[in-house]
Amino acid sequence: MDTAAPLSPTARSTVRRGAKRARTDRADLHAVLDAGLIGHLGVQVGDAPVVLPTGYGRHDDTLYLHGSTGAATLRAATGAPVCFTVTHLDGIVYARSAFHHSVNYRCAVVHGAARLVTDPDERLLGLEVLTEHLAPGSWAATRRPDRKELAATAVLALDLAEASVKIRTGPPGDDERDVEGADAADPVWAGVLPVRAVLGEPEPCPLLPPGAAVPPRVAARALSPAG
Amino acid sequence: MDTAAPLSPTARSTVRRGAKRARTDRADLHAVLDAGLIGHLGVQVGDAPVVLPTGYGRHDDTLYLHGSTGAATLRAATGAPVCFTVTHLDGIVYARSAFHHSVNYRCAVVHGAARLVTDPDERLLGLEVLTEHLAPGSWAATRRPDRKELAATAVLALDLAEASVKIRTGPPGDDERDVEGADAADPVWAGVLPVRAVLGEPEPCPLLPPGAAVPPRVAARALSPAG
């Protein structure tokens, strides 16, 4: 896939509601996915959808997911149409009317059939990408999966072929009547309360020797925005 | 529904993977839902699931969702089996092996058929609950929906009858071999990097008169944890 190509929406990946919030640059899709830590995977199980949070990683235009080979949802996802959504909540939008209250957000929605990865090299690549997305530097610094762990892990791949991105930013979109008609001395407050995900201070495992140094791969992220 | 009753899982709301992380108190379900600002709604549209982020509000054991009457996903959800999931990411869990890397989180998953609310009083209740969940105090302080806005808004209700809660906390669950076999002088770091959602400084709407006071309903939340 040409990663410089714009998103070419199909019927279901065409944003209809709030179309002015839609983005069609592939770079926007990558940015929203790369900034997240977990997404929500939707799978049809029996006669109803199931939505579960899960980690992920991106390699070019392939998204990798993983889970226990025993997980019913992952089994149901294999080869089936799924939807994978990553959302960042960026702000609470206070308006002058209840109706125009909203949120600022960035959201990527990926549609497609999840492919069970069976090639050993691609399985390792997927697990590396997943680990590095969650914890950069951990793949090199920690013990790699052994044969038993690999056998217990299913790796799924989802092509970023059919996807949509929606982003809302900025102040409320109030009606003119509510802005113009405001009490000049005591107007209803409107604006945005930003929401940010932040990383805190590292909490060492109690089984580490006392005083074990926090490595740069962890320390560099502490007290900074998540993602 | 007896809100003091424990969650009584059905087959699909019984946590199988990571069962030790399952909670069965209804209070845990309420706490996870009440602490969130957005959830992810899964709906079957045609032959595939669609997962979209959306606001919500809870009144006793009813969850209210809303959206434009023109939204295809909301139309597909009406009367249909849906899944609504709220997840809080609480930490990145660094382990001594790639396999045991994980996240700390709180997650509530609700299954059920979404009911289109048609009673005018319940519709208003649902919208009040939704508005107050996102922006406490806003329902009283801002203009209520007028007839045209109400006509454009669909309100859905989802009973909290069938739901599951999973919570992971604490340090990594490393293998004994990786803990015991560690290089005493240079052990692989393991532990948790906490993740928190926080609210920032209010950003006033540019259309407000200069110097308009930030009301307590907004100021009280600023610079505090979200939810």
Coordinates of all heavy atoms in Angstrom, one line a residue, chain B residues 60-109:
Chain B
D60 N -29.4 5.4 37.9 CA -29.6 4.1 38.6 C -29.0 3.0 37.7 O -27.9 3.0 37.4 CB -31.1 3.8 38.9 CG -31.7 4.8 39.9 OD1 -30.9 5.4 40.6 OD2 -32.9 5.0 39.9
D61 N -29.8 2.0 37.3 CA -29.3 0.9 36.4 C -29.7 1.0 35.0 O -29.8 0.0 34.3 CB -29.6 -0.4 37.0 CG -28.5 -0.8 38.1 OD1 -27.4 -0.9 37.7 OD2 -28.9 -1.0 39.2
T62 N -29.8 2.3 34.5 CA -30.1 2.5 33.1 C -29.0 3.5 32.6 O -28.7 4.5 33.2 CB -31.4 3.2 32.9 OG1 -32.5 2.4 33.4 CG2 -31.7 3.4 31.4
L63 N -28.4 3.1 31.5 CA -27.4 3.9 30.8 C -28.1 4.6 29.6 O -28.9 4.0 28.9 CB -26.3 3.0 30.3 CG -24.9 3.5 30.1 CD1 -24.3 3.8 31.5 CD2 -24.1 2.4 29.5
Y64 N -27.9 5.9 29.5 CA -28.5 6.7 28.4 C -27.4 7.0 27.4 O -26.3 7.5 27.8 CB -29.2 7.9 28.9 CG -30.5 7.6 29.6 CD1 -30.6 7.6 31.0 CD2 -31.6 7.2 28.9 CE1 -31.8 7.2 31.7 CE2 -32.8 6.8 29.5 CZ -32.9 6.9 30.9 OH -34.0 6.5 31.5
L65 N -27.7 6.9 26.1 CA -26.9 7.3 25.0 C -27.7 8.2 24.1 O -28.9 8.1 24.2 CB -26.4 6.1 24.2 CG -25.8 4.9 24.9 CD1 -25.7 3.7 24.0 CD2 -24.5 5.3 25.6
H66 N -27.1 9.0 23.3 CA -27.9 9.9 22.4 C -27.1 10.1 21.2 O -25.9 9.9 21.1 CB -28.3 11.1 23.1 CG -27.2 12.2 23.2 ND1 -25.9 11.8 23.5 CD2 -27.2 13.5 23.2 CE1 -25.2 12.9 23.6 NE2 -25.9 14.0 23.4
G67 N -27.8 10.7 20.2 CA -27.1 11.0 19.0 C -28.1 11.6 18.0 O -29.3 11.7 18.3
S68 N -27.6 12.0 16.8 CA -28.5 12.6 15.8 C -29.4 11.5 15.3 O -29.0 10.3 15.2 CB -27.6 13.1 14.7 OG -28.5 13.3 13.5
T69 N -30.7 11.9 15.1 CA -31.6 10.9 14.5 C -31.2 10.5 13.1 O -31.6 9.4 12.6 CB -33.0 11.5 14.4 OG1 -32.9 12.8 13.7 CG2 -33.7 11.8 15.8
G70 N -30.3 11.2 12.5 CA -29.8 10.8 11.2 C -28.6 9.9 11.2 O -28.2 9.4 10.1
A71 N -28.1 9.6 12.4 CA -26.9 8.8 12.5 C -27.2 7.3 12.2 O -28.0 6.7 12.9 CB -26.2 8.9 13.8
A72 N -26.5 6.8 11.2 CA -26.8 5.4 10.8 C -26.5 4.4 11.9 O -27.2 3.4 12.1 CB -26.0 5.0 9.5
T73 N -25.4 4.6 12.6 CA -25.1 3.7 13.7 C -26.1 3.7 14.8 O -26.5 2.6 15.3 CB -23.7 4.1 14.3 OG1 -22.8 4.3 13.2 CG2 -23.2 3.0 15.2
L74 N -26.6 4.9 15.1 CA -27.7 4.9 16.1 C -29.0 4.3 15.7 O -29.6 3.6 16.4 CB -27.9 6.4 16.5 CG -28.1 6.6 18.0 CD1 -26.8 6.4 18.8 CD2 -28.6 8.0 18.3
R75 N -29.3 4.4 14.4 CA -30.5 3.8 13.9 C -30.3 2.2 13.9 O -31.2 1.5 14.3 CB -30.7 4.2 12.4 CG -31.5 5.5 12.3 CD -32.2 5.7 11.0 NE -31.3 5.5 9.8 CZ -30.6 6.4 9.2 NH1 -30.7 7.7 9.6 NH2 -29.8 6.1 8.2
A76 N -29.1 1.8 13.6 CA -28.8 0.3 13.6 C -28.9 -0.2 15.0 O -29.2 -1.4 15.2 CB -27.4 0.0 13.0
A77 N -28.5 0.6 16.0 CA -28.5 0.2 17.4 C -29.9 0.0 18.0 O -30.1 -0.8 18.9 CB -27.7 1.2 18.2
T78 N -30.9 0.7 17.4 CA -32.2 0.8 18.0 C -32.9 -0.6 18.0 O -33.1 -1.2 17.0 CB -33.1 1.8 17.3 OG1 -32.5 3.1 17.4 CG2 -34.5 1.9 17.9
G79 N -33.1 -1.1 19.2 CA -33.8 -2.4 19.3 C -32.8 -3.6 19.1 O -33.2 -4.7 19.2
A80 N -31.6 -3.3 18.7 CA -30.7 -4.3 18.4 C -29.7 -4.6 19.5 O -29.6 -3.8 20.4 CB -29.8 -3.9 17.2
P81 N -29.1 -5.9 19.5 CA -28.1 -6.2 20.5 C -26.9 -5.3 20.3 O -26.4 -5.1 19.2 CB -27.8 -7.6 20.3 CG -28.3 -8.0 18.9 CD -29.3 -7.0 18.6
V82 N -26.5 -4.6 21.4 CA -25.3 -3.8 21.3 C -24.3 -4.1 22.5 O -24.7 -4.9 23.4 CB -25.6 -2.3 21.4 CG1 -26.6 -1.9 20.3 CG2 -26.2 -1.9 22.8
C83 N -23.1 -3.6 22.4 CA -22.2 -3.7 23.5 C -21.6 -2.3 23.8 O -21.2 -1.6 22.8 CB -21.1 -4.7 23.1 SG -19.9 -5.0 24.4
F84 N -21.6 -2.0 25.0 CA -21.1 -0.6 25.4 C -20.0 -0.8 26.4 O -20.2 -1.4 27.5 CB -22.2 0.3 25.9 CG -21.7 1.7 26.1 CD1 -21.6 2.5 25.1 CD2 -21.5 2.2 27.4 CE1 -21.1 3.8 25.3 CE2 -21.1 3.5 27.6 CZ -20.9 4.3 26.6
T85 N -18.8 -0.3 26.1 CA -17.6 -0.6 26.9 C -16.9 0.7 27.3 O -16.7 1.6 26.5 CB -16.6 -1.4 26.1 OG1 -17.3 -2.6 25.7 CG2 -15.4 -1.7 26.9
V86 N -16.7 0.8 28.6 CA -15.9 2.0 29.2 C -14.6 1.5 29.8 O -14.7 0.6 30.6 CB -16.8 2.7 30.2 CG1 -15.9 3.8 30.9 CG2 -18.0 3.3 29.6
T87 N -13.5 2.0 29.3 CA -12.2 1.6 29.8 C -11.4 2.8 30.3 O -11.3 3.8 29.7 CB -11.4 0.9 28.6 OG1 -12.2 -0.1 28.0 CG2 -10.1 0.3 29.1
H88 N -10.8 2.6 31.5 CA -9.8 3.5 32.0 C -8.5 2.8 31.9 O -8.3 1.8 32.5 CB -10.1 3.9 33.4 CG -11.5 4.4 33.7 ND1 -11.9 5.7 33.5 CD2 -12.6 3.7 33.9 CE1 -13.1 5.8 33.8 NE2 -13.7 4.6 34.0
L89 N -7.5 3.5 31.3 CA -6.1 3.0 31.3 C -5.4 3.6 32.5 O -5.3 4.8 32.6 CB -5.4 3.4 30.0 CG -4.0 2.9 29.9 CD1 -3.9 1.4 29.9 CD2 -3.3 3.5 28.6
D90 N -5.0 2.7 33.4 CA -4.4 3.2 34.7 C -2.9 3.1 34.7 O -2.2 3.8 35.6 CB -5.0 2.5 35.9 CG -6.5 2.8 36.1 OD1 -6.8 4.0 35.7 OD2 -7.2 1.9 36.5
G91 N -2.3 2.3 33.9 CA -0.8 2.2 34.0 C -0.3 1.3 32.9 O -0.9 0.4 32.4
I92 N 1.0 1.5 32.6 CA 1.8 0.6 31.7 C 2.6 -0.3 32.5 O 3.4 0.2 33.4 CB 2.7 1.4 30.7 CG1 1.8 2.4 29.9 CG2 3.5 0.5 29.8 CD1 2.6 3.5 29.2
V93 N 2.4 -1.6 32.4 CA 3.1 -2.6 33.2 C 4.3 -3.1 32.5 O 4.2 -3.9 31.5 CB 2.1 -3.7 33.6 CG1 2.8 -4.7 34.5 CG2 0.9 -3.2 34.3
Y94 N 5.5 -2.7 33.0 CA 6.7 -3.2 32.4 C 7.1 -4.5 33.2 O 7.2 -4.5 34.4 CB 7.8 -2.2 32.7 CG 7.8 -1.0 31.8 CD1 6.9 0.1 32.1 CD2 8.6 -0.8 30.7 CE1 6.8 1.2 31.3 CE2 8.6 0.3 29.9 CZ 7.7 1.3 30.2 OH 7.6 2.4 29.4
A95 N 7.4 -5.6 32.4 CA 7.7 -6.8 33.0 C 9.2 -7.2 32.6 O 9.8 -6.5 31.8 CB 6.8 -7.9 32.5
R96 N 9.6 -8.3 33.1 CA 11.0 -8.8 32.9 C 11.0 -9.6 31.6 O 12.1 -10.0 31.1 CB 11.5 -9.6 34.0 CG 11.7 -8.8 35.3 CD 11.7 -9.7 36.5 NE 11.9 -8.9 37.8 CZ 11.0 -8.4 38.5 NH1 9.7 -8.4 38.1 NH2 11.3 -7.7 39.6
S97 N 9.9 -9.9 31.0 CA 9.8 -10.6 29.7 C 8.8 -9.8 28.9 O 7.9 -9.1 29.4 CB 9.2 -12.0 29.9 OG 7.9 -12.0 30.5
A98 N 8.9 -9.9 27.6 CA 8.0 -9.3 26.6 C 6.6 -9.8 26.9 O 5.6 -9.1 26.9 CB 8.4 -9.5 25.2
F99 N 6.5 -11.1 27.1 CA 5.2 -11.8 27.3 C 4.4 -11.2 28.4 O 3.1 -11.1 28.3 CB 5.5 -13.3 27.5 CG 4.2 -14.1 27.6 CD1 3.6 -14.5 26.4 CD2 3.7 -14.6 28.8 CE1 2.4 -15.3 26.5 CE2 2.6 -15.4 28.9 CZ 2.0 -15.8 27.7
H100 N 5.0 -10.8 29.5 CA 4.2 -10.4 30.7 C 4.0 -8.9 30.7 O 3.5 -8.4 31.7 CB 4.9 -10.9 32.0 CG 4.6 -12.3 32.2 ND1 3.3 -12.8 32.4 CD2 5.4 -13.4 32.2 CE1 3.4 -14.1 32.6 NE2 4.6 -14.5 32.5
H101 N 4.4 -8.2 29.7 CA 4.1 -6.8 29.6 C 2.5 -6.7 29.6 O 1.8 -7.5 29.0 CB 4.7 -6.1 28.4 CG 6.1 -5.6 28.6 ND1 7.1 -6.5 28.8 CD2 6.6 -4.3 28.7 CE1 8.2 -5.7 29.0 NE2 7.9 -4.5 28.9
S102 N 2.0 -5.7 30.2 CA 0.5 -5.6 30.3 C 0.1 -4.1 30.6 O 1.0 -3.2 30.5 CB 0.1 -6.5 31.5 OG -1.3 -6.6 31.6
V103 N -1.1 -3.9 30.9 CA -1.6 -2.6 31.3 C -2.5 -2.8 32.6 O -3.1 -3.8 32.8 CB -2.4 -1.9 30.3 CG1 -1.5 -1.5 29.1 CG2 -3.6 -2.6 29.8
N104 N -2.4 -1.8 33.4 CA -3.4 -1.7 34.5 C -4.6 -0.9 34.0 O -4.5 0.1 33.3 CB -2.8 -1.1 35.8 CG -1.9 -2.0 36.5 OD1 -2.1 -3.2 36.4 ND2 -1.0 -1.5 37.3
Y105 N -5.8 -1.4 34.3 CA -7.0 -0.8 33.7 C -8.2 -1.1 34.6 O -8.2 -2.1 35.4 CB -7.2 -1.3 32.3 CG -7.5 -2.8 32.2 CD1 -8.8 -3.3 32.2 CD2 -6.5 -3.7 32.2 CE1 -9.1 -4.6 32.1 CE2 -6.7 -5.1 32.2 CZ -8.0 -5.5 32.1 OH -8.3 -6.9 32.1
R106 N -9.3 -0.4 34.3 CA -10.6 -0.7 34.8 C -11.5 -0.7 33.6 O -11.5 0.3 32.8 CB -11.1 0.4 35.8 CG -10.4 0.3 37.2 CD -10.6 1.7 37.9 NE -9.8 2.7 37.2 CZ -10.2 4.0 37.1 NH1 -11.3 4.4 37.7 NH2 -9.4 4.9 36.5
C107 N -12.3 -1.7 33.4 CA -13.1 -1.9 32.2 C -14.5 -2.4 32.6 O -14.6 -3.4 33.3 CB -12.4 -2.8 31.2 SG -13.4 -3.0 29.7
A108 N -15.5 -1.7 32.1 CA -16.9 -2.2 32.2 C -17.5 -2.5 30.8 O -17.3 -1.7 29.9 CB -17.8 -1.2 32.9
V109 N -18.1 -3.7 30.7 CA -18.7 -4.1 29.4 C -20.1 -4.4 29.6 O -20.5 -5.2 30.5 CB -17.9 -5.4 28.8 CG1 -18.6 -5.8 27.5 CG2 -16.5 -5.1 28.7

